Amino acid sequence: MAEPLPRHLLIPFAGRGSPACRAALPSLRLPNLESLLSRLSLVETATQDESTRSPPHERALAAALGISAADGCIPWAALEARQIGIAEPGDREGWGLVSLCNWQVGIDDVVLGDPAAIEIDAAESAALLAAAHPFFEEDGIALHPSSTPGRWLARARIFNGLATASIDRAVGHPISQWSPLAEAARPLRRLQNEMQMLLYTQRVNDERAARGVPPINSFWLSGTGALQADPAPANPAPTVSDALRVAALRDDGPGWAQAWQALDAGPVADLLADYTAGADITLTLCGDRAAQRYAVQQRGLVGWAKSLFDRPRAANVLEGL
């Protein structure tokens, strides 16, 4: 019988410091996660301030993929451009992710709505890209469709070294809190204003209004930078679960707890089964401030006995993230 393949499961938003999710922590019952944590060893903890532009799960994923980058400069756009064949190996030009979104205008602030929730299809995305293309081109920015509707890949020198905040940091917060303030970003802020006026006139938004879905009225820039070297991913590359993301960003405590229970009964239980079958497994848990990586390590008899009787409570582990 062939040996089971190694596996790495990475879980963003495993811990969440927002009020409703934090209140849901003590009632979480995650038996498979607790069983895994009692069998694995904590091999790395990476802690950052909550003001970092790149959240812990993006930093952990970048490290596992062999990408080293400064805060806010993890080159996700350049990586995707390489993966879908737009950028050639050795291309060191800067890229950025342009995510179409709904800016929610309030009395005091303009808040970023989650771009993943705008319900845009490929035809709408292509129509808006065609309309936006000349405006970006005037600033020397080449636009390309990505593999995800509502998201474009932008190529220009301006994105080299420009730090931008991850969407997962900025959603639900005032735009001013996370917008890039560097002098180099001034043309992008002007372009953002131009795009707001352009999008207001687009037929796509008329049709969206008729369907009762929010208008697309701006874009968010993230994932900026250049691939300075060819990535050398770890083996295996992580499988990333987004099961907790929506509830976490909405601070939906009951929904987040329910999503965690489904995750525990599904992918986490599968990872435990792989461990039992002898696979070399890795589990990375990420929260607002920290990422913790757990892996299989040799233990003595004392360590095994301790793991059987001193099972960690999942809520206590997640609270530290």
Side-chain angles (χ1 to χ4, degrees):
M1 181 181 294
E3 289 188 10
L5 296 174
R7 287 191 58 206
H8 183 178
L9 178 64
L10 189 152
I11 304 178
F13 302 104
R16 186 68 167 162
S18 53
C21 290
R22 181 175 279 287
L25 262 176
S27 62
L28 278 181
R29 297 295 178 264
L30 307 173
N32 292 310
L33 177 62
E34 291 181 349
S35 184
L36 263 179
L37 292 174
S38 70
R39 289 163 168 78
L40 302 178
S41 297
L42 176 61
V43 295
E44 183 181 23
T45 298
T47 304
Q48 299 98 33
D49 190 274
E50 288 182 60
S51 65
T52 57
R53 298 178 180 91
S54 303
H57 58 270
E58 291 194 6
R59 289 169 176 259
L61 179 59
L65 295 178
I67 297 173
S68 176
D71 181 44
C73 295
I74 302 175
W76 298 122
L79 180 63
E80 183 176 346
R82 177 80 60 85
Q83 290 172 336
I84 66 177
I86 297 175
E88 297 293 331
D91 182 352
R92 298 293 181 261
E93 187 65 278
W95 290 80
L97 288 174
V98 175
S99 299
L100 298 174
C101 57
N102 174 252
W103 284 12
Q104 301 161 0
V105 181
I107 297 175
D108 299 319
D109 291 306
V110 179
V111 173
L112 178 65
D114 187 359
I118 62 174
E119 301 179 28
I120 185 171
D121 60 29
E124 289 177 324
S125 184
L128 293 178
L129 187 149
H133 186 272
F135 292 84
F136 281 78
E137 194 172 42
E138 282 184 9
D139 285 307
I141 301 172
L143 284 183
H144 304 269
S146 83
S147 55
T148 302
R151 195 171 73 189
W152 307 330
L153 298 171
R155 184 176 189 266
R157 188 166 298 174
I158 191 174
F159 301 130
N160 272 324
L162 178 66
T164 53
S166 164
I167 286 170
D168 287 349
R169 280 296 201 209
V171 163
H173 295 282
I175 298 297
S176 58
Q177 180 177 339
W178 290 106
S179 292
L181 298 176
E183 183 64 23
R186 182 177 293 182
L188 295 171
R189 292 196 292 272
R190 175 181 51 75
L191 184 57
Q192 229 164 13
N193 291 333
E194 291 175 350
M195 282 297 296
Q196 285 178 294
M197 293 185 285
L198 174 69
L199 289 167
Y200 181 77
T201 67
Q202 293 301 298
R203 181 177 177 179
V204 165
N205 271 326
D206 295 335
E207 293 170 347
R208 289 176 64 83
R211 298 204 311 269
V213 294
I216 297 167
N217 56 14
S218 194
F219 69 85
W220 189 256
L221 180 69
S222 62
T224 43
L227 277 173
Q228 298 302 328
D230 292 335
N235 183 29
T239 297
V240 180
S241 171
D242 285 328
L244 306 174
R245 181 182 183 275
V246 172
L249 290 178
R250 293 177 180 173
D251 194 24
D252 174 5
W256 182 72
Q258 185 176 14
W260 239 129
Q261 287 165 350
L263 188 59
D264 188 69
V268 174
D270 292 341
L271 197 66
L272 177 59
D274 288 340
Y275 170 86
T276 303
D280 183 8
I281 68 167
T282 304
L283 173 67
T284 300
L285 301 174
C286 307
D288 297 333
R289 304 177 306 276
Q292 294 186 343
R293 181 164 58 89
Y294 297 82
V296 179
Q297 289 195 328
Q298 294 296 324
R299 301 184 185 180
L301 290 176
V302 173
W304 281 115
K306 184 176 184 296
S307 72
L308 290 174
F309 296 102
D310 188 23
R311 177 173 293 190
R313 281 210 61 219
N316 294 339
V317 172
L318 302 182
E319 188 175 21
L321 300 174

